[in-house]
């Protein structure tokens, strides 16, 4: 392998947008924008550090342009803002494509990688056309300009690395390792069960204990015990298909004692895990000043609200839960799902309680408090609906895609397999990647779920099944038992071979292990005639 770090060099053009206007001109070192705003680019080590000072002008965005050409025959792969929604993959050069965080250009034997290091202080996306490369850095606070005062903000560190003599998957994984110098991982492989994709929020302590017995029966002989995650269903104010927020101080009538339940699960031989939506909380004890003006969720920039969040995390740990799956934080912070971030993560013209922090800093502060609170108890953090590029180093596992399904195979095919394939380079580099569950409730043909289970088990990533006891046949349980034992060790690491040509890769290999999967049902693709999702793209209108 030939690996070469390339200096980005000085940009050609810079555009700065504030709360009151926009200034754009050719790059001049030490130039002022809006009288008091300066952007500095400094080469240091293998990267270029971008910093911003603006004592009195609230700044929203920086747009930095390098008029440097990339190969016209290149195929491009990028990441997503938060989870994957089944739309990742290599594409030809598309100038209107939004490419969050990093991208790769594959041209012949050459692979060009561009990205910002994890835990940046801006929401960053790339845009490429035949004339050059643009990096947009969103430094807003909420939907308004960040108020930095006397602080100089290190916005991001940009890396470019060229590779040759290796395949594109290897290069992508190596570049992700370069972007993340301090990842955290579970000490042992995490795998097991989660009750969401057969119960869908309608469960009880009695059913959870049956789930525990079931997963223990399916993992007999495993040295590493399974994890059982109690998903959305247990909280005091849970209202099925209506409300799934807090308070998080106790269980509901179906879950009378969450601490005792955790202890019982440990006694039976599983690692107990719990789901929580920390920012949505209807407790009347929470002052309005702690709430976001966007949607009424908790505003983690208010110090008392952040302390309140930390206490909720601490409570889960003290109850004895060894995995905490925190969910919905990106939506609750910014009011948009990833497919609605077109291109911005949130609407304009609102702000958090503390206006001196960028949105990226707000996210990182929240993740840091969750991680550090749990770390003192040895609890594993599993992020869901999280921004992985900001959470790398602050979570052990990241749910990398939107929900799979126990109801519709097409949702699992589109989202689960796509997310696993194109975010697999992050596995073992940023965190462990969780491509979501195998949903088994009798609605999806076993021939499909068996293949999905096989890929998860042999990918070396955390594998969770969501299996209603009694649905699988004896033969199917036997097959699942073998796959769970493989998943308990995570020694095989399949990688996609046809990922440059297929956004739902079918050919996978790890050394002597080769697998070919058939992902499509005999009747063809299922789809909605009234879809609610679309692929974001840069547009003038």
């Amino acid at each position: 392998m030939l690996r070469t770090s390339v200096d980005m060099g000085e940009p050609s053009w810079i555009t700065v947008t504030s709360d009151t206007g926009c200034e754009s001109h050719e790059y001049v070192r030490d130039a002022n924008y809006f009288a008091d705003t300066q952007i500095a680019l400094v080469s240091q080590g293998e990267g270029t550090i971008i910093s911003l000072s603006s004592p009195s002008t609230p700044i929203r965005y920086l747009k930095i342009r390098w008029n440097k050409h990339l190969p016209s025959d290149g195929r491009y792969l990028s990441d997503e803002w938060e989870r994957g929604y089944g739309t990742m993959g290599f594409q030809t050069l598309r100038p209107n494509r939004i490419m969050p965080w990093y991208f790769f250009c594959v041209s012949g034997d050459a692979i060009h990688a561009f990205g910002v290091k994890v835990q940046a202080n801006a929401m960053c996306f790339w845009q490429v056309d035949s004339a050059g490369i643009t990096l947009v850095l969103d430094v807003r606070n909420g939907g308004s300009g960040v108020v930095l005062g006397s602080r100089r903000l290190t916005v991001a560190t940009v890396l470019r690395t060229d590779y040759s003599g290796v395949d594109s998957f290897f290069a992508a994984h190596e570049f992700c390792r370069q972007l993340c110098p301090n990842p955290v991982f579970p000490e042992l492989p995490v795998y097991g069960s989660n009750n969401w994709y057969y119960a869908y929020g309608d469960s009880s302590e009695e059913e959870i204990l049956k789930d525990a017995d079931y997963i223990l029966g399916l993992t007999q002989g495993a040295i590493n015990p399974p994890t059982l995650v109690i998903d959305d269903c247990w909280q005091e104010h849970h209202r099925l298909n209506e409300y799934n927020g807090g308070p998080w101080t106790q269980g509901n009538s179906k879950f009378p004692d969450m601490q005792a339940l955790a202890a019982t699960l440990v006694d039976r031989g599983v690692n107990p895990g719990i789901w929580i939506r920390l920012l949505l909380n209807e407790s009347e004890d929470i002052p309005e000043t702690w709430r976001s003006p966007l949607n009424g969720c908790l505003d983690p920039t208010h110090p008392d609200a952040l302390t309140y969040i930390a206490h909720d995390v601490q409570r889960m740990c003290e109850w004895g839960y060894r995995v905490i799956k925190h969910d919905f934080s990106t939506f609750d912070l910014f009011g948009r799902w990833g497919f609605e971030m077109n291109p911005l993560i949130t609407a304009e013209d609102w702000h958090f309680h503390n206006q001196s922090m960028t949105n990226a800093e707000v996210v990182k502060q929240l993740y840091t408090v969750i991680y550090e609170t749990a770390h003192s108890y040895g609890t594993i953090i599993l992020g869901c609906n999280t921004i992985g590029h900001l959470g790398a180093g602050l979570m052990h596992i990241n749910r990398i895609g939107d929900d799979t399904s126990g109801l519709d195979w097409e949702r699992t095919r589109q989202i689960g397999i796509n997310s696993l394939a194109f975010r697999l380079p992050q596995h073992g580099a940023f965190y462990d990647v969780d491509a979501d569950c195998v949903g088994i409730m009798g609605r999806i043909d076993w021939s499909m779920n068996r293949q999905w289970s096989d890929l998860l088990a042999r990918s070396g990533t955390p594998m969770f099944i969501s299996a209603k006891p009694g649905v699988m046949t004896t033969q199917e349980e036997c097959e699942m038992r073998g796959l769970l034992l493989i998943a308990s060790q995570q020694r095989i690491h399949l990688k996609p071979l046809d990922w440059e040509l297929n956004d739902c890769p079918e050919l996978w290999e790890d050394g002597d292990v080769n697998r070919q999967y058939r992902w499509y049902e005999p009747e063809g693709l299922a789809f909605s005639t009234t879809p609610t999702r679309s692929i974001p793209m840069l547009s003038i209108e």
Side-chain angles (χ1 to χ4, degrees):
M1 177 186 73
L2 180 61
R3 173 183 176 275
T4 306
S5 294
V6 181
D7 192 302
M8 291 293 295
E10 291 190 342
S12 307
W13 204 275
I14 288 188
T15 303
V16 183
T17 302
S18 73
D19 278 349
T20 57
C22 175
E23 290 193 11
S24 182
H25 52 69
E26 290 186 44
Y27 174 73
V28 177
R29 188 176 298 180
D30 300 326
N32 281 343
Y33 302 78
F34 307 110
D36 70 336
T37 302
Q38 286 193 336
I39 297 96
L41 288 86
V42 178
S43 295
Q44 183 173 307
E46 295 181 334
T48 299
I49 299 174
I50 302 171
S51 63
L52 166 69
S53 63
S54 187
S56 61
T57 303
I59 301 300
R60 295 191 177 196
Y61 325 105
L62 311 177
K63 187 170 74 169
I64 303 177
R65 173 73 170 182
W66 289 268
N67 288 328
K68 296 182 177 181
H69 300 276
L70 286 175
S72 59
D73 64 347
R75 298 185 62 82
Y76 293 80
L77 173 68
S78 76
D79 199 23
E80 296 279 13
W81 281 121
E82 43 112 359
R83 295 170 299 174
Y85 289 87
T87 58
M88 287 185 282
F90 285 88
Q91 298 180 18
T92 56
L93 181 63
R94 297 190 177 182
N96 295 80
R97 185 180 181 187
I98 302 162
M99 299 194 288
W101 308 117
Y102 61 73
F103 74 92
F104 304 96
C105 170
V106 179
S107 176
D109 185 52
I111 302 163
H112 310 284
F114 295 77
V116 297
K117 279 192 171 183
V118 302
Q119 297 190 29
N121 288 323
M123 302 293 182
C124 309
F125 73 87
W126 298 84
Q127 177 269 328
V128 179
D129 52 60
S130 60
I133 304 163
T134 300
L135 174 62
V136 177
L137 305 112
D138 180 351
V139 294
R140 289 178 302 163
N141 173 275
S144 302
V146 64
V147 180
L148 292 176
S150 60
R151 181 165 70 111
R152 173 173 283 276
L153 176 70
T154 299
V155 182
T157 299
V158 179
L159 299 181
R160 174 184 174 178
T161 303
D162 290 349
Y163 299 87
S164 62
V166 293
D167 64 66
S168 56
F169 185 88
F170 182 90
H173 179 65
E174 285 297 305
F175 190 62
C176 285
R177 291 177 59 191
Q178 189 182 1
L179 294 177
C180 183
N182 298 300
V184 294
F185 304 108
E187 290 185 7
L188 294 172
V190 175
Y191 76 107
S193 71
N194 176 307
N195 67 325
W196 179 253
Y197 293 106
Y198 84 82
Y200 284 101
D202 187 6
S203 189
S204 65
E205 178 179 299
E206 181 182 2
E207 287 193 357
I208 292 299
L209 294 175
K210 290 180 180 177
D211 288 344
D213 291 340
Y214 193 50
I215 192 65
L216 286 168
L218 290 173
T219 57
Q220 282 184 348
I223 297 174
N224 174 27
T227 294
L228 188 153
V229 177
I230 305 170
D231 213 285
D232 171 21
C233 65
W234 64 268
Q235 63 271 32
E236 179 184 2
H237 286 201
H238 179 262
R239 299 188 289 278
L240 186 65
N241 299 324
E242 179 185 347
Y243 179 76
N244 66 348
W248 307 100
T249 55
Q250 61 184 16
N252 55 47
S253 60
K254 294 183 177 181
F255 291 88
D257 191 330
M258 294 303 293
Q259 185 168 4
L261 177 55
T264 300
L265 291 172
V266 171
D267 288 344
R268 293 199 180 188
V270 300
N271 293 317
I274 195 164
W275 175 96
I276 189 169
R277 183 176 181 176
L278 288 162
L279 299 184
L280 182 64
N281 195 317
E282 64 182 12
S283 172
E284 295 179 355
D285 296 334
I286 296 174
E288 284 301 310
T289 54
W290 294 11
R291 297 189 179 278
S292 166
L294 180 68
N295 54 17
C297 289
L298 285 171
D299 179 345
T301 73
H302 193 294
D304 294 331
L306 192 62
T307 299
Y308 186 96
I309 292 165
H311 287 162
D312 280 342
V313 176
Q314 183 178 6
R315 188 178 303 111
M316 303 301 112
C317 297
E318 292 180 346
W319 282 350
Y321 290 92
R322 297 175 179 175
V323 175
I324 294 177
K325 176 184 176 181
H326 68 87
D327 199 354
F328 281 90
S329 61
T330 302
F331 182 79
D332 290 343
L333 283 170
F334 302 118
R336 290 180 177 175
W337 304 112
F339 59 86
E340 297 172 318
M341 297 174 181
N342 190 17
L344 304 179
I345 62 160
T346 192
E348 299 275 26
D349 300 323
W350 67 278
H351 61 77
F352 287 105
H353 170 80
N354 182 348
Q355 298 181 57
S356 71
M357 304 173 68
T358 69
N359 289 330
E361 290 180 301
V362 174
V363 171
K364 290 193 300 175
Q365 178 180 259
L366 174 64
Y367 293 171
T368 298
V369 165
I370 295 170
Y371 173 75
E372 290 184 349
T373 301
H375 181 70
S376 60
Y377 294 87
T379 302
I380 292 170
I381 294 299
L382 193 169
C384 185
N385 184 226
T386 46
I387 300 174
H389 211 81
L390 301 180
L394 299 172
M395 57 185 65
H396 305 86
I397 308 171
N398 184 30
R399 241 286 300 282
I400 53 172
D402 192 17
D403 291 5
T404 55
S405 181
L407 300 170
D408 300 299
W409 166 249
E410 176 55 26
R411 187 179 180 97
T412 297
R413 185 208 66 81
Q414 180 186 7
I415 294 171
I417 297 155
N418 179 270
S419 298
L420 177 63
F422 294 101
R423 279 198 156 152
L424 194 56
Q426 298 175 0
H427 181 64
F430 288 4
Y431 29 59
D432 279 1
V433 304
D434 168 18
D436 209 10
C437 302
V438 183
I440 303 171
M441 57 182 297
R443 293 282 295 272
I444 295 175
D445 192 279
W446 175 245
S447 65
M448 296 300 170
N449 265 340
R450 177 177 49 78
Q451 292 185 90
W452 177 225
S453 302
D454 188 271
L455 176 57
L456 285 175
R458 299 178 195 280
S459 68
T461 66
M463 174 185 175
F464 289 97
I465 67 169
S466 190
K468 184 176 182 178
V471 169
M472 285 191 284
T473 67
T474 301
Q475 176 60 34
E476 289 165 0
E477 288 180 341
C478 181
E479 293 176 12
M480 179 61 77
R481 188 173 291 110
L483 294 174
L484 285 168
L485 290 177
I486 293 172
S488 74
Q489 301 176 44
Q490 294 180 4
R491 292 176 180 171
I492 304 173
H493 298 277
L494 291 179
K495 67 178 182 180
L497 295 180
D498 55 342
W499 78 327
E500 291 182 25
L501 304 174
N502 189 347
D503 71 0
C504 187
E506 299 179 339
L507 304 176
W508 297 70
E509 67 92 20
D510 178 21
D512 294 332
V513 180
N514 290 274
R515 312 294 280 186
Q516 181 171 4
Y517 300 101
R518 304 295 185 186
W519 299 125
Y520 298 95
E521 295 173 294
E523 65 270 29
L525 200 72
F527 60 91
S528 170
T529 57
T530 56
T532 58
R533 298 182 178 185
S534 59
I535 299 175
M537 62 177 291
L538 297 172
S539 177
I540 199 68
E541 295 180 348

